[in-house]
Amino acid sequence: MTTDLLDNDSRARTNVPATVAAAVFNALIVLFTVYGIIRFFTVGGSGNMAVFNTAAFRYFTVDSNILVALASLLILIAQIKSLRNGIPVSRRLMAFKHVGATAVGVTFFTVFCFLGTLYGYKAMIEGVSLCMHLMTPLLAMLGFWFLDRGQETRFRSVFLGLLPTALYGVVYIAMTVFQKRWKDFYGFNIGGRWILSCVLMVIATFIISAGLWALHRATGKKNRGEAS
């Protein structure tokens, strides 16, 4: 087993083009997220997120983008170091990126499979929403699938991918259903069916998390096979 791990690490060192491309993807994620946050504090949001200042943080979209941007920034730093010293990105950082990619994956699929039917798809990609609903999620998911390489993540990272959705869900239901301090802007309590919405969101998040993990792992094995 030790030999296999060393072989994997050795092969990871040689994939310079993929590492450079992954670094570009991660840099764009960070830049798009910084741009989006700045807009909320200057000109305000748009579409279904037409709010100002800290009110933006009540949206899972914004929180998930910040999460994946933080993961992308840390991996970007590790990837730059990897290009210099050949040391692959650590398993913990790869798991962090997996969690972030899952979170924005939830944002992406919720927007284009559900919210777009409520608010219209134009509102979903106006202004800052274009970055946070579409561009950053695609960069994160495709980048993690095809480009981000390092020490392989374990299957338990799939369950870590559930945490952002679960934690946000607790806050959202508390604020919209019980305390009624937030408007039900995600429509999860339409018809009083918030319990069903919670179950469906957890299932959907698990599918996204497991799918990203499996695709990332399969692509990594394929690349190692081609390198051997």
Side-chain angles (χ1 to χ4, degrees):
M1 180 178 292
T2 302
T3 303
D4 291 339
L5 288 175
L6 290 174
D7 289 343
N8 289 344
D9 288 352
S10 177
R11 292 167 190 163
R13 293 188 187 105
T14 64
N15 200 348
V16 174
T19 302
V20 171
V24 171
F25 271 47
N26 286 316
L28 287 174
I29 290 170
V30 174
L31 290 174
F32 285 153
T33 303
V34 171
Y35 164 76
I37 298 302
I38 289 175
R39 279 187 63 90
F40 278 114
F41 283 85
T42 53
V43 299
S46 54
N48 70 314
M49 297 190 296
V51 296
F52 288 88
N53 301 327
T54 57
F57 301 128
R58 70 181 58 179
Y59 292 96
F60 183 78
T61 293
V62 176
D63 299 336
S64 64
N65 273 253
I66 292 174
L67 178 66
V68 79
L70 178 58
S72 297
L73 177 61
L74 294 177
I75 282 198
L76 173 61
I77 294 171
Q79 287 167 337
I80 293 173
K81 291 181 179 179
S82 179
L83 290 171
R84 297 173 58 186
N85 56 30
I87 299 176
V89 177
S90 70
R91 180 177 288 113
R92 288 183 178 180
L93 281 181
M94 293 305 298
F96 189 17
K97 179 63 180 292
H98 176 211
V99 172
T102 297
V104 289
V106 171
T107 288
F108 176 84
F109 288 107
T110 300
V111 164
F112 291 100
C113 294
F114 178 64
L115 293 181
T117 65
L118 292 179
Y119 300 107
Y121 287 99
K122 181 181 179 181
M124 295 297 103
I125 56 173
E126 286 181 342
V128 68
S129 296
L130 177 63
C131 292
M132 293 194 161
H133 284 160
L134 180 64
M135 296 175 70
T136 292
L138 287 179
L139 285 170
M141 290 188 290
L142 293 177
F144 182 73
W145 177 0
F146 287 111
L147 301 173
D148 288 321
R149 289 290 164 260
Q151 295 180 354
E152 288 188 356
T153 57
R154 298 188 175 96
F155 183 73
R156 64 189 180 196
S157 68
V158 171
F159 298 98
L160 291 176
L162 297 174
L163 289 178
T165 299
L167 293 174
Y168 179 85
V170 170
V171 175
Y172 184 82
I173 295 303
M175 298 297 283
T176 58
V177 177
F178 297 104
Q179 297 188 26
K180 301 186 185 301
R181 294 173 60 184
W182 291 357
K183 177 184 176 182
D184 183 22
F185 44 81
Y186 285 135
F188 289 160
N189 194 36
I190 294 177
R193 299 176 180 175
W194 63 270
I195 295 178
L196 176 61
S197 295
C198 289
V199 172
L200 292 177
M201 287 304 298
V202 170
I203 293 173
T205 302
F206 179 82
I207 292 172
I208 294 169
S209 185
L212 285 173
W213 179 82
L215 291 169
H216 173 81
R217 189 176 181 87
T219 303
K221 286 184 176 180
K222 179 181 178 182
N223 291 339
R224 289 192 296 274
E226 291 175 352
S228 60

